[in-house]
Amino acid sequence: MSIAVTRAVALRGVSGHLVDVECHIGRGLPAFDIGGLPDRALRQAPGRVRAAVLSAEFSLNSSQVMVNLSPAAIPKHGTGFDLAIAVGALAAAGELPVQAVREVVHVAELGLDGQLRHVVGVLPSVLAARAGGCRCVVVAPEDVAEARLVDGVRVVTARRLGDLVSLYRAARSGEELPEAPDPEPVPPPSGRVIDLAEVSGQHEARSALTLAAAGGHHVLLTGPPGSGKTMLAERMVTILPPLSQDQALESLAVRSLVGAVPAGAAVDPTPPFVAPHHSASVAALVGGGSGAVLPGAVSQAHNGVLFLDEAAEFPTSVLQALRQPLESGRVVIARAREQVTFPARVQLVLAANPCPCGEGHGRGLACRCRPMERRTYAARLSGPLLDRIDIQVQVPKVSLAALSEAPGDSSAVVAAHVRQARAAQALRWAEGGWALNSQVPGPVLRRPPWRLPSSTTHQLDRALELGNLTGRGYDRVLRLAWTAADLAGRDVPSAGDIGMALIYRTSGAAAA
């Protein structure tokens, strides 16, 4: 009888928990059992492991193997435990040094021929290994670049299980496992670089995007087809500041869970841009699934932009599911045995036509929609959702004069203004731990020392008294006014800033 222990990682959202893979080889009838709340894919691991071990010229077919994944109360998902189970079983059988495998984390699927294969979630798994004090991980060759994004962890790889056995046997003398060689560089994807200067006219919409980027505010663009709503939204990320190292890793970890990390992974400081189709389900947008809980589009856009084109065409239930993530910056998905949390701090950009046919703008002479159709269409963007949108702007059709005028400021110029405004916000709110005006709680803005005089807020106070604004809307106008002041280089918002913020807040609602 022999016991060996090695390590793996159980993921719950983007957070991971180190798992002790305890393997016991005993006498008795041949068997291979796995305990510790494995899912269906993990319960099929014995067949894969037996075949992989046999391909490495060893055998577990005549052994009674018992594997416990501890802590047993945490659900375990996926095929990423295969390698740890195989290594633990071989160590328990005396084929590998028990102490050498004890503190090594193994994250890979095994093919029937013993090949180490890619699994999703490598980056958050390696981050969890580092947080748990482990300094060596073994991954498939395809995952080396992704694992190396985490500093302070030794990354080891092998093409087949037999090759890894040879590496462990060479480590009997106390030598460390050899670090994986540098992967071949992958050229960056080629493509045209987009720029805000390519948008003709639309000065008000461009100003609205600049304001949104500076303060982290959500935007609704309403206008006829072909007016440039999608062009504007796509260029939002070009004026946002680059992500910090921690932010970029956090965003990449979410994308790793759905296998969206490109080959030759590198830390990209560009904020993510995610634009799901309007036929997306609730699970596709906010996360979920019948098996392992996966992040949705709102989490994949974490620290970036979530763009919903043709927003009124999305099912109402899908749009309503966004309300909680927009407020809290995270998605909480509850299951019978677990509760999974994904980050979802995004800037939401909505684009919608004025009516189903798209011609209900201006005087609306070309509109073919009946009044009831227009009301039903506008009602799909519900009041509670619009109440969370700080900027609502009309995007008219582009005129001939706009097409002929000189290009506006480039993305680089606008991004410089945005960075200056964000620097002022970070300095102002450093004591409270907020980075953007959009993150500051309303009570903070309504109390000394940040409370504005009534002579400045009289328009806003009047709108609240008349019922044209909710309490949430009142606070959001204040946040937007502070952002307008930051862009203009003022220390305190003026009455003009409040008025502009109030117009941006209510113009889309009035049009709807």
Side-chain angles (χ1 to χ4, degrees):
M1 182 179 72
S2 181
I3 295 177
V5 181
T6 188
R7 294 290 187 90
V9 175
L11 292 176
R12 301 178 71 179
V14 291
S15 61
H17 301 268
L18 277 180
V19 172
D20 285 337
V21 181
E22 304 169 336
C23 297
H24 171 269
I25 302 290
R27 298 187 182 93
L29 295 175
F32 202 132
D33 297 319
I34 298 179
L37 289 183
D39 68 350
R40 181 177 299 179
L42 186 48
R43 286 197 297 269
Q44 296 171 348
R48 294 191 297 272
V49 170
R50 282 189 188 275
V53 168
L54 193 61
S55 71
E57 300 181 354
F58 302 100
S59 178
L60 297 173
N61 290 335
S62 60
S63 304
Q64 188 181 72
V65 183
M66 179 62 195
V67 177
N68 180 48
L69 306 176
S70 175
I74 297 177
K76 321 296 189 307
H77 304 285
T79 59
F81 290 85
D82 287 4
L83 183 59
I85 293 172
V87 169
L90 287 173
E95 302 293 347
L96 293 177
V98 174
Q99 290 303 317
V101 306
R102 180 65 182 86
E103 294 301 325
V104 180
V105 176
H106 302 83
V107 183
E109 179 184 330
L110 284 176
L112 298 183
D113 59 353
Q115 184 177 0
L116 274 63
R117 293 180 176 172
H118 160 77
V119 293
V120 299
V122 168
L123 178 56
S125 295
V126 178
L127 287 170
R130 185 181 66 177
C134 293
R135 292 295 176 262
C136 183
V137 298
V138 181
V139 298
E142 303 95 314
D143 296 328
V144 169
E146 185 176 339
R148 278 205 168 147
L149 297 177
V150 183
D151 295 330
V153 177
R154 187 179 185 83
V155 180
V156 178
T157 191
R159 292 208 168 272
R160 297 180 182 276
L161 180 61
D163 299 334
L164 183 60
V165 170
S166 299
L167 294 178
Y168 269 118
R169 285 181 166 178
R172 285 182 185 272
S173 60
E175 299 177 358
E176 289 185 325
L177 294 176
E179 195 162 4
D182 293 331
E184 295 183 4
V186 177
S190 58
R192 188 176 65 87
V193 178
I194 59 176
D195 195 284
L196 191 61
E198 298 169 340
V199 179
S200 300
Q202 306 300 4
H203 303 292
E204 183 181 3
R206 286 169 56 97
S207 298
L209 280 191
T210 304
L211 192 61
H217 306 283
H218 307 308
V219 187
L220 168 63
L221 304 173
T222 306
S227 58
K229 301 186 297 295
T230 302
M231 281 189 70
L232 287 162
E234 289 175 343
R235 283 149 183 79
M236 181 75 164
V237 293
T238 67
I239 62 175
L240 291 174
L243 302 180
S244 66
Q245 179 79 4
D246 290 342
Q247 288 175 326
L249 273 179
E250 193 176 35
S251 297
L252 197 60
V254 175
R255 298 201 294 277
S256 175
L257 295 174
V258 294
V261 177
V267 178
D268 186 0
T270 304
F273 178 85
V274 180
H277 191 262
H278 61 257
S279 61
S281 64
V282 173
L285 193 64
V286 300
S290 57
V293 180
L294 297 177
V298 68
S299 294
Q300 294 173 45
H302 179 58
N303 290 324
V305 175
L306 176 65
F307 175 47
L308 302 187
D309 200 4
E310 304 294 345
E313 300 294 341
F314 279 78
T316 302
S317 59
V318 173
L319 294 175
Q320 294 304 313
L322 285 174
R323 289 161 55 180
Q324 183 261 341
L326 292 181
E327 286 293 315
S328 63
R330 60 194 181 104
V331 173
V332 180
I333 300 173
R335 291 291 184 265
R337 290 183 174 179
E338 61 181 334
Q339 181 172 289
V340 178
T341 301
F342 294 110
R345 183 73 64 184
V346 301
Q347 280 192 251
L348 178 65
V349 180
L350 302 174
N353 294 329
C355 64
C357 76
E359 298 298 332
H361 57 92
R363 299 175 64 185
L365 299 179
C367 181
R368 303 182 299 274
C369 304
R370 294 189 293 269
M372 181 59 71
E373 291 176 330
R374 297 190 62 168
R375 286 196 295 270
T376 302
Y377 187 81
R380 293 180 184 177
L381 298 177
S382 67
L385 177 62
L386 291 179
D387 203 29
R388 290 163 169 81
I389 307 299
D390 297 347
I391 301 174
Q392 302 176 30
V393 62
Q394 300 295 309
V395 185
K397 279 190 173 181
V398 180
S399 65
L400 180 60
L403 291 175
S404 304
E405 68 183 19
D409 289 340
S410 66
S411 293
V413 173
V414 176
H417 296 314
V418 170
R419 286 195 299 270
Q420 291 175 359
R422 288 199 171 201
Q425 295 168 54
L427 182 62
R428 179 190 305 124
W429 308 120
E431 186 175 345
W434 309 293
L436 298 173
N437 290 327
S438 60
Q439 300 170 359
V440 181
V444 173
L445 297 177
R446 289 184 268 108
R447 295 171 185 165
W450 305 111
R451 182 175 180 175
L452 300 176
S454 57
S455 59
T456 302
T457 63
H458 68 276
Q459 298 179 72
L460 182 58
D461 298 337
R462 181 65 174 164
L464 182 66
E465 289 293 330
L466 293 175
N468 296 330
L469 278 180
T470 63
R472 180 189 288 116
Y474 186 97
D475 293 338
R476 288 185 176 272
V477 170
L478 285 176
R479 295 176 185 133
L480 195 57
W482 277 99
T483 302
D486 290 328
L487 275 175
R490 289 188 289 271
D491 294 331
V492 179
S494 64
D497 294 327
I498 293 287
M500 182 183 69
L502 193 57
I503 292 173
Y504 272 133
R505 174 75 187 177
T506 58
S507 61

